[in-house]
Amino acid sequence: MRLNADYLKTFVNIDMAAPQLKDLLVSVGMEVEEVIDHNGTPVFEIEITPNRPDWLSHYGVAREIYAKQPQLKLAPLELYQFEKEISREGFSLFIEDSSDCGRYSSCIVRDVTVKESSPWLKNLMESLGLKSINNIVDISNITLMTLGHPIHIFDLDKLADGQIIVRRGKQGEKLVLLDEKIVDLTSEHLVIADKEKSVALAGVMGGLETGVAAGTKNILVESAYFDPVRIRKTAKQLDLRTDASYRFERGADILATPAAIKIFLHMLSQDHGTPLNITWYHDLFPRTVTPQRVTLKKDYPSIYTGIDIPMDICGQVLKHLGFKPEDQGDQWEVEVPSYRVDIYGKQDLVEEIIRIYGYDKMESAIPLSLNTVVRMDKKREFIQAAREYLTASGLYEVINYSFHSPEENQRFSAAHPQFHSVLELKNPIGKDFSVMRNSLIPGLLRNTALNFNQSLNRVALFEFGRVFGIHDNKIQEEDYLGISASGEYARADWQTKKTQPFDLYIFKSILAALFKKLFPEANVSFVEKEFPFFISGTGLTIVLNGVQAGYMGEITRDILEADKIALPVFAAEMKLETLLQTLKENHFSTWNRYPSTSRDFSFLIDRKIKYTQLETAIREIKPDTLESWELTDLYDGKNIPPGQVSFSMNFAYRGKDRTLVSDEVNAIHIDFTAQLSKRLNLTRR
Amino acid sequence: MINELKKEIDQAKTTFLKEVGEVQSQEDFRNIKEKYTSRKKGILTGFLQRLKDVPPPDKPTAGNAVNQLKVLVETGLNEAEARLTALKATKETHVDPTLPPFVYPVGRAHLLSAIRKRAEDIFISMGYEVAHGYEVELEDYNFTTLNFPEYHPSRDEQDTFFIKDFPDYLLRTHTSPVQIRYMKQHKPPLKIISPGKVFRKDDPDATHSPVFHQVEGLLVDKNIHFSHLKGTLELFIKAFYGENINARLRPSYFPFTEPSAELDISCFMCFGKNPLCKVCKGTGWIEILGCGMVHPKVLSNCDIDPEIYSGFAFGMGIERIAMLKYEVSDMRMMYDNDLRFNCQFG
């Protein structure tokens, strides 16, 4: 809302420069966005929180300035004085439901002159960012800017048959608004109607047909109180936001309707320079209003703020703000003014007191409260440990939006079979962001594409984040760790002279090392499995202590083409909850002190036999003294018979309770490798 | 005669040690080896031959002296040879320790993770527990229980994403529902922070993002008052920004707190001394977080009696803190994941 400093001065005699006034406004709780110079007058653009509709006017702000600086004088509002008793005959008002419209004050003014606004009025309108239409419309707008209560002016001669009805819209009924928009009315909308038709959308906008125009002679002035919820529903449903609806939905002052009319009439008579011909006035007030009362113990403001605020100051502040505190010994019974729709309890009054007393007087104290149980956040600790390992391994952390396009989700729908369907947003910001992600990999691919476009050669990323889906008609969200790598693993340097790109084995090694670091005692295995988004034959399920914790593989060309990525990308995703369940305390174990002896074994093996089968066979027939083994070379070049591949392995033997002598080791090794050869049809080289 | 021989042997020892120390090349080595150990003309052979002429009683003494020389020569020659080999190795390998190191890949945590961890660590050190919740929340816990009335404009301040086919659910607009769930499950005293992702329906621009992060905090106990809030937040900002940073409170409004406040900190960039400061826009103060005393309705909605207990709550946006701290001009950079940005932090 805009606040004209000169116009403000007609209500409270402030004498301060713009910066001081700005500080004062901020100190009571208004946000000053901007101070504009309008032809030498400071104009404040202020943001008003939704609890304070009473500040949405110059007089409302003046009341607040007065409370802060009560030595200033708050001028009474200039209201039009009716010279005689005005007739209630000749025109009638009818409110269908008083819960929609609690009060309707209205009057008829005849023989008005519609003309261009005076320079003063035009200038004031302009300073407040409002477009000048004509004197009558402008004065009604200034009335709003003065008191904050919206009023509406009808051209009386365009209303049918001397009656105003406040009712709900009817199905099939249409109304053309002042902005020429045509709305289809329903029973959810509150309208102002004459006998024949609706003429205005109550509390939101008037109708075009009955509005004040150049030839208007006689007017009907409306100043009403509408239900905030009804106005909000109407405005929201029709996607209309007006100065009037903005105030009504925050809560108008039900006691202010006559004052708003009288401010309008006062300004109109000033504008016309002649007495007004008011022929009818009626204040229809079907709702009973009792003032809000709050009991406040006198020592409560000090207890709740933790600072000593003298009781007499508390009482004075409340009075200056327009409250009526009735002294009842150790407490006040405080009557709340009708324009303060935000005050219900004693805490509200404490805020009022310290707002005016000064938030800057607040002191600092340290609460001694402690939780009775100290719970460490295991997930947080795990994430931090994993993050430290991954960053030390040369991977960068990324954070992506939680939104995907439906296509991105579709590509990875097989990632999490527990999600039966996709969680869709009802009101997304765009089609590319219309569903909740079901996997972290599409985000990593997007980031990979972007970085390759920026000419980076190595893109190794990870993200901790939540994925979403629907399981058995229930919303599910799960935390995952996603990892991807593409491009250079090790770049050529002056010593190696050779670039090594990421490949499936390097990627698997990074994961294996992660598990070794975080789960030193876990049994980790990678089990072959096909995934539609991985190139066939590259997919692996990651199994920790017998539980599937995630998967890894090489992304298919189709998917990479969609992201315009030319290089192979390796990716993995792991469920944090499963990883955490596998996480156990380490145990100390002593080590074997006898020396270990190793023997090499090179052999040809059928290509169809996978390494994991070889390992299974080793495990099954290994002698007790075989402690560990390692693949030291793999060769399938020259001199290798077709259909075979050459492996070199190193086997380490160690006695459990004594040192093994060389001949013993030889005998064990020869026997073991012979058995293994027989089992898998290996040829010793 | 024996004395003369011993004197000569001592002389030969001294000469040998001097000569063997001066060996610089294979040629030197061959020469000295020949001179002392040649079977025909070598100095050692010469002494051995002269032993024949030594009278029998002096023979053991003389033999011993010659033997000592022999050991000395052998040892000296071995050492010289080793020295020559080492010298050769050094000359053949080029070592320049000033050559550039290889580029060893270094990764980094995301800026938001780093800031979040720092904020969490400070509150954990003050005894707060970290609590988590759902990102897809019940509308009830995100708004109604937090004293946002239905159809009240206060809901407009947090433009909300809704979920198709699940009318009771939305994407949480703040992490406050975590506090609601915690209060419903635990009895005071309670002291938690709830960090995490939140969502508001804003189109991405330099200062808006439909996804962002918050750290919120909550303390509920007996006799908690507004000054406790100020003291706690002062501890936090001094730990986070430095001990010379001050805080001020301004009145504000949140449906779930009463009284409510915005906390400003003194500008860590210019300390109020630069009228053109980009960080504080010359005001000397930076708006950093929203806070207040927990609204009695929120406490009673969570079955905590507001006549017995009181508490405070606060919340801050991690993106905003990060942008101010590092003068990041565009919030979208935090979600582009351009590594030229991500490699600068964490």
Side-chain angles (χ1 to χ4, degrees), chain A residues 22 26-31 47 49-51 228-229 232-233 236 241 249-250 303-307 344 346-348 350-351 354-355 359-360 362-373 375 377 379-380 384 387-388 390-403 423-429 436-437 447 450-451 454 456 458-466 468 470 473-475 477 479 489 491 493-495, chain B residues 99-100 102-110 112-113 117 120-121 124 127-130 132-136 150-157 160-164 166 169 171 182 186 189-191 197 199 201-204 209-211 213 219 221 224-232 234-235 248-253 258-262 283 287 293-296 306-307 310-312 332 334-340 342-343:
Chain A
K22 179 185 164 182
V26 169
S27 77
V28 295
M30 296 176 207
E31 293 245 17
E47 176 115 41
T49 51
N51 59 324
V229 172
R232 182 168 168 82
K233 281 183 173 168
K236 268 223 132 165
R241 180 71 35 105
E249 66 178 22
R250 279 159 173 71
I303 290 172
Y304 205 53
T305 55
I307 58 167
Y344 295 96
K346 57 187 179 182
Q347 291 86 355
D348 298 320
V350 172
E351 181 178 80
I354 58 169
R355 257 186 341 102
Y359 270 42
D360 55 337
M362 225 39 66
E363 285 163 16
S364 297
I366 308 300
L368 299 176
S369 308
L370 285 173
N371 287 327
T372 48
V373 180
R375 297 181 199 85
D377 184 350
K379 192 188 276 181
R380 179 176 186 270
Q384 273 169 21
R387 181 183 285 133
E388 273 167 28
L390 291 165
T391 52
S393 306
L395 282 78
Y396 283 95
E397 186 181 18
V398 296
I399 297 180
N400 282 293
Y401 288 165
S402 311
F403 312 130
L423 198 65
E424 222 176 310
L425 290 176
K426 196 173 147 196
N427 55 339
I429 52 169
M436 296 302 285
R437 62 180 175 187
N447 306 148
L450 178 129
N451 281 292
Q454 311 303 336
L456 265 81
R458 174 196 167 94
V459 187
L461 311 170
F462 67 96
E463 177 170 10
F464 289 99
R466 220 161 261 193
F468 304 82
I470 297 167
N473 215 25
K474 285 204 181 86
I475 296 169
E477 41 184 274
D479 285 317
Y489 165 63
R491 69 184 293 179
D493 55 56
W494 52 261
Q495 196 171 57
Chain B
L99 280 170
F102 305 131
V103 178
Y104 191 84
V106 176
R108 279 178 183 274
H110 195 280
L112 296 173
S113 299
K117 180 178 182 298
E120 287 173 356
D121 284 347
I124 290 170
Y128 287 75
E129 182 181 332
V130 182
H132 300 282
Y134 297 104
E135 290 179 10
V136 182
E150 222 183 334
Y151 302 111
H152 192 265
S154 52
R155 294 197 180 199
D156 292 349
E157 311 269 298
T160 310
F161 285 111
F162 293 96
I163 309 292
K164 205 172 168 185
F166 291 87
Y169 287 86
L171 298 188
Y182 196 91
H186 299 85
L190 34 98
K191 206 172 166 184
K197 245 180 203 170
F199 307 84
K201 194 175 176 285
D202 285 317
D203 284 323
S209 174
V211 180
H213 292 75
L219 186 148
D221 200 354
I224 297 301
H225 53 66
F226 203 60
S227 297
H228 286 138
L229 171 61
K230 190 179 182 199
T232 300
E234 247 171 23
L235 279 186
R248 76 167 184 192
L249 293 170
R250 273 187 294 119
S252 188
Y253 166 73
E258 190 72 37
S260 302
E262 294 277 354
T283 62
E287 186 179 322
M293 298 297 289
V294 182
H295 198 288
E307 293 302 318
S310 54
F312 60 72
R332 284 168 293 198
M334 310 223 184
Y335 292 92
D336 282 346
N337 296 305
D338 185 327
L339 297 185
R340 291 172 299 184
N342 294 39
C343 77

Side-chain angles (χ1 to χ4, degrees), chain A residues 377-669:
Chain A
D377 184 350
K378 290 217 171 66
K379 192 188 276 181
R380 179 176 186 270
E381 287 173 359
F382 175 81
I383 287 174
Q384 273 169 21
R387 181 183 285 133
E388 273 167 28
Y389 165 76
L390 291 165
T391 52
S393 306
L395 282 78
Y396 283 95
E397 186 181 18
V398 296
I399 297 180
N400 282 293
Y401 288 165
S402 311
F403 312 130
H404 276 172
S405 68
E407 294 75 28
E408 280 173 315
N409 260 19
Q410 180 56 39
R411 280 175 211 137
F412 286 84
S413 58
H416 305 298
Q418 73 272 31
F419 298 151
H420 300 151
S421 55
V422 165
L423 198 65
E424 222 176 310
L425 290 176
K426 196 173 147 196
N427 55 339
I429 52 169
K431 194 168 175 300
D432 284 350
F433 302 106
S434 62
V435 297
M436 296 302 285
R437 62 180 175 187
N438 61 353
S439 164
L440 298 177
I441 295 180
L444 295 171
L445 293 178
R446 252 190 260 166
N447 306 148
T448 303
L450 178 129
N451 281 292
F452 279 144
N453 284 340
Q454 311 303 336
S455 306
L456 265 81
N457 301 316
R458 174 196 167 94
V459 187
L461 311 170
F462 67 96
E463 177 170 10
F464 289 99
R466 220 161 261 193
V467 303
F468 304 82
I470 297 167
H471 176 86
D472 280 346
N473 215 25
K474 285 204 181 86
I475 296 169
Q476 298 254 299
E477 41 184 274
E478 294 169 357
D479 285 317
Y480 272 80
L481 163 61
I483 305 180
S484 76
S486 184
E488 286 178 359
Y489 165 63
R491 69 184 293 179
D493 55 56
W494 52 261
Q495 196 171 57
T496 63
K497 300 171 178 61
K498 204 176 148 220
T499 294
Q500 185 171 21
F502 275 108
D503 63 26
L504 194 70
Y505 305 113
I506 292 172
F507 190 69
K508 187 181 176 186
S509 308
I510 291 172
L511 297 188
L514 171 71
F515 296 128
K516 195 165 184 178
K517 162 91 174 146
L518 297 175
F519 306 97
E521 294 184 359
N523 185 2
V524 184
S525 56
F526 295 86
V527 181
E528 280 186 286
K529 193 181 171 191
E530 292 291 319
F531 294 88
F533 41 86
F534 287 147
I535 293 173
S536 179
T538 68
L540 292 167
T541 300
I542 301 162
V543 181
L544 282 184
N545 289 345
V547 181
Q548 291 192 10
Y551 56 88
M552 63 157 280
E554 181 178 347
I555 303 287
T556 62
R557 290 297 334 152
D558 285 2
I559 292 176
L560 294 186
E561 266 158 33
D563 279 302
K564 300 193 171 60
I565 299 171
L567 296 174
V569 178
F570 307 91
E573 205 173 22
M574 282 158 264
K575 187 171 168 176
L576 281 190
E577 216 56 53
T578 313
L579 297 180
L580 278 171
Q581 279 160 16
T582 313
L583 202 58
K584 292 200 183 79
E585 288 286 330
N586 291 349
H587 297 92
F588 167 75
S589 52
T590 187
W591 51 89
N592 189 322
R593 287 160 198 274
Y594 299 101
S596 148
T597 314
S598 68
R599 294 287 182 271
D600 290 330
F601 178 43
S602 295
F603 52 91
L604 295 171
I605 183 168
D606 190 315
R607 246 173 221 287
K608 288 197 203 87
I609 300 175
K610 291 277 164 74
Y611 182 77
T612 160
Q613 289 167 269
L614 174 67
E615 276 209 320
T616 307
I618 292 172
R619 275 201 194 88
E620 279 171 20
I621 61 175
K622 78 181 190 68
D624 284 352
T625 49
L626 177 57
E627 196 177 57
S628 61
W629 56 90
E630 198 182 347
L631 178 68
T632 52
D633 193 23
L634 189 153
Y635 181 69
D636 62 354
K638 255 192 209 166
N639 304 327
I640 301 297
Q644 306 232 53
V645 60
S646 164
F647 279 11
S648 292
M649 294 190 72
N650 182 277
F651 294 92
Y653 301 89
R654 201 198 300 255
K656 287 213 163 36
D657 49 5
R658 65 198 175 84
T659 304
L660 298 177
V661 299
S662 187
D663 288 350
E664 267 181 298
V665 174
N666 288 342
I668 293 168
H669 181 67

Side-chain angles (χ1 to χ4, degrees), chain A residues 213-379:
Chain A
T216 300
K217 280 261 174 296
N218 307 310
I219 57 172
L220 180 107
V221 185
E222 164 200 293
S223 174
Y225 175 86
F226 299 114
D227 173 47
V229 172
R230 181 53 46 204
I231 298 306
R232 182 168 168 82
K233 281 183 173 168
T234 304
K236 268 223 132 165
Q237 200 264 320
L238 296 170
D239 199 20
L240 287 166
R241 180 71 35 105
T242 62
D243 280 343
S245 73
Y246 194 76
R247 283 159 176 82
F248 279 124
E249 66 178 22
R250 279 159 173 71
D253 178 3
I254 197 164
L255 299 189
T257 56
I261 286 194
K262 288 171 185 174
I263 289 167
F264 172 79
L265 295 176
H266 173 76
M267 291 174 78
L268 188 66
S269 70
Q270 298 272 306
D271 180 70
H272 277 47
T274 54
L276 300 174
N277 181 14
I278 300 166
T279 59
W280 175 84
Y281 174 80
H282 189 184
D283 179 18
L284 185 59
F285 194 176
R287 196 188 289 180
T288 19
V289 176
T290 44
Q292 182 81 28
R293 286 176 181 279
V294 180
T295 304
L296 180 68
K297 286 256 189 314
K298 287 183 175 174
D299 58 358
Y300 188 70
S302 292
I303 290 172
Y304 205 53
T305 55
I307 58 167
D308 185 33
I309 310 172
M311 289 178 190
D312 57 328
I313 289 188
C314 294
Q316 275 169 25
V317 165
L318 289 173
K319 276 183 205 153
H320 292 144
L321 280 166
F323 293 85
K324 289 180 189 143
E326 186 195 317
D327 200 321
Q328 297 182 337
D330 65 345
Q331 65 180 35
W332 289 292
E333 173 90 356
V334 182
E335 187 185 310
V336 179
S338 59
Y339 51 83
R340 291 304 302 270
V341 295
D342 59 320
I343 305 291
Y344 295 96
K346 57 187 179 182
Q347 291 86 355
D348 298 320
L349 293 177
V350 172
E351 181 178 80
E352 291 310 294
I353 290 164
I354 58 169
R355 257 186 341 102
I356 302 303
Y357 185 61
Y359 270 42
D360 55 337
K361 296 203 181 68
M362 225 39 66
E363 285 163 16
S364 297
I366 308 300
L368 299 176
S369 308
L370 285 173
N371 287 327
T372 48
V373 180
V374 176
R375 297 181 199 85
M376 298 303 286
D377 184 350
K378 290 217 171 66
K379 192 188 276 181

